């Protein structure tokens, strides 16, 4: 080979060497990228899993939010219904309060243990108390000496310490009733009209029936309404059954 050819080959070799070095550098970069790529895949997979968990949490949150919203709507509707009842009651009370000729009586029913302590054996006494006159109390009930003796109505004027008696077990709320001022004794007077003669011959009739019949007479005379009676009837039945042996 001539010296001239050797001189021409030198630049070619130098170019080849530079290309080889660049190619080797690319190879190293590819290796580095390949090594980093699994880490990137793992990060992507973790991100995807976290994203799935986030979506599931969002879905649960949305379902809970929907349930909460439905409950809120139900509570709101119930509240509206109660508000309407309260509003009607308040309006009636306001109408009576504006009438200076009316006075309010609170009804409380005392319950006493029977022998045996079955619900139908429990004794009951109705007590009326004046809201305007704290000293006014009047109670009414029926009683008899034994199963063969006749029933008789007993009225007690003034406050009686029923809660201190041996067989007292509790009392229930009978609500409020409006009467004309000066006629606070009228509810008891009406209830004394319940027929008790020969009731001993009627199987199962007792002091609880006496109160139910007496309360119905109050409604018939315009003291309280039928809705009040039905509510009171349910309340009294529940109270007499509470804790009884049968």
């Amino acid at each position: 080979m001539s010296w001239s050819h050797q001189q021409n080959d030198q630049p070619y070799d130098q170019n080849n060497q530079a290309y080889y070095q660049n190619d080797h550098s690319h190879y190293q970069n590819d290796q580095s990228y390949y090594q980093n790529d699994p880490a990137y895949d793992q990060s992507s997979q973790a991100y995807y899993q976290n994203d799935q968990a986030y979506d599931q949490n969002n879905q649960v949150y949305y379902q809970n939010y929907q349930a909460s919203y439905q409950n809120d709507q139900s509570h709101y509707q119930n509240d509206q219904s109660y508000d309407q009842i309260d509003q009607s009651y308040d309006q009636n009370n306001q109408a009576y309060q504006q009438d200076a000729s009316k006075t309010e009586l609170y009804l409380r029913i005392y319950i006493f243990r029977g022998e045996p302590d079955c619900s139908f054996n429990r004794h009951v006494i109705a007590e009326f108390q004046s809201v305007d006159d704290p000293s006014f109390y009047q109670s009414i009930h029926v009683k008899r000496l034994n199963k063969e003796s006749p029933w008789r109505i007993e009225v007690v004027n003034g406050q009686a310490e029923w809660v201190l008696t041996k067989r007292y077990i509790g009392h229930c709320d009978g609500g409020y009733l409006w009467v004309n001022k000066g006629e606070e004794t009228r509810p008891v007077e009406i209830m004394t009209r319940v027929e008790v003669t020969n009731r001993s011959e009627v199987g199962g009739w007792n002091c609880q029936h006496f109160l139910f019949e007496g309360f119905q007479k109050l409604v018939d005379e315009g003291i309280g309404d039928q809705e009040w009676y039905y509510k009171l009837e349910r309340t009294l039945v529940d109270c007499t059954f509470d804790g009884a042996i049968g």
Side-chain angles (χ1 to χ4, degrees):
M1 178 180 298
S2 67
W3 184 81
S4 174
H5 279 88
Q6 286 179 344
Q7 286 180 333
N8 291 332
D9 286 341
Q10 278 182 338
Y12 178 79
D13 290 339
Q14 289 172 349
N15 288 336
N16 277 347
Q17 190 174 12
Y19 178 80
Y20 173 76
Q21 289 174 344
N22 289 335
D23 193 54
H24 185 67
S25 175
H26 281 298
Y27 175 74
Q28 288 175 336
N29 288 337
D30 286 342
Q31 272 191 320
S32 175
Y33 178 81
Y34 175 75
Q35 289 172 348
N36 291 330
D37 197 48
Y40 176 79
D41 289 341
Q42 290 175 350
S43 297
S44 295
Q45 191 173 12
Y47 176 81
Y48 176 72
Q49 290 173 345
N50 290 335
D51 197 49
Q52 274 189 318
Y54 179 78
D55 289 341
Q56 289 173 349
N57 289 335
N58 275 348
Q59 192 173 13
V60 171
Y61 175 80
Y62 177 72
Q63 291 172 345
N64 291 337
Y65 178 79
Q66 275 188 317
S68 176
Y69 177 74
Q70 290 172 348
N71 288 334
D72 286 343
Q73 273 190 319
S74 177
H75 283 301
Y76 176 72
Q77 290 171 349
N78 289 335
D79 286 343
Q80 275 188 319
S81 177
Y82 281 122
D83 287 343
Q84 289 172 350
I85 293 174
D86 289 341
Q87 189 175 13
S88 175
Y89 181 77
D90 290 340
Q91 288 173 348
N92 290 335
N93 273 347
Q94 281 181 341
Y96 277 118
Q97 287 170 356
Q98 291 172 359
D99 187 350
S101 66
K102 297 289 184 180
T103 188
E104 197 173 18
L105 296 177
Y106 174 65
L107 171 61
R108 184 183 293 107
I109 303 171
Y110 294 93
I111 303 170
F112 304 85
R113 185 176 292 104
E115 290 184 357
D117 192 26
C118 302
S119 60
F120 55 84
N121 273 342
R122 288 187 165 179
H123 188 61
V124 289
I125 299 175
E127 178 189 72
F128 296 90
Q129 177 186 359
S130 172
V131 175
D132 296 327
D133 180 6
S135 66
F136 177 85
Y137 288 85
Q138 196 172 37
S139 303
I140 184 171
H141 65 131
V142 292
K143 63 181 184 179
R144 59 181 177 175
L145 295 176
N146 52 58
K147 291 184 179 180
E148 287 71 34
S149 61
W151 290 99
R152 63 183 182 86
I153 299 174
E154 181 178 70
V155 175
V156 179
N157 294 309
Q159 187 174 12
E161 299 292 346
W162 300 119
V163 297
L164 300 180
T165 58
K166 183 179 179 180
R167 296 188 180 279
Y168 169 79
I169 56 176
H171 61 270
C172 59
D173 175 20
Y176 292 88
L177 299 170
W178 290 92
V179 296
N180 293 327
K181 283 187 176 180
E183 297 183 0
E184 289 84 356
T185 61
R186 187 163 177 254
V188 168
E189 187 273 324
I190 292 172
M191 292 180 69
T192 60
R193 302 174 194 169
V194 174
E195 182 59 54
V196 298
T197 305
N198 298 324
R199 284 300 180 96
S200 297
E201 299 174 2
V202 180
W205 194 91
N206 59 26
C207 57
Q208 296 177 26
H209 296 93
F210 170 76
L211 289 192
F212 289 139
E213 292 181 24
F215 296 149
Q216 184 60 59
K217 282 189 176 293
L218 294 182
V219 174
D220 296 341
E221 293 290 332
I223 301 177
D225 56 23
Q226 204 63 49
E227 184 179 353
W228 164 79
Y229 172 82
Y230 289 140
K231 182 180 179 180
L232 178 58
E233 185 180 42
R234 291 192 299 270
T235 300
L236 183 54
V237 169
D238 290 342
C239 288
T240 53
F241 269 92
D242 187 22
I245 60 176

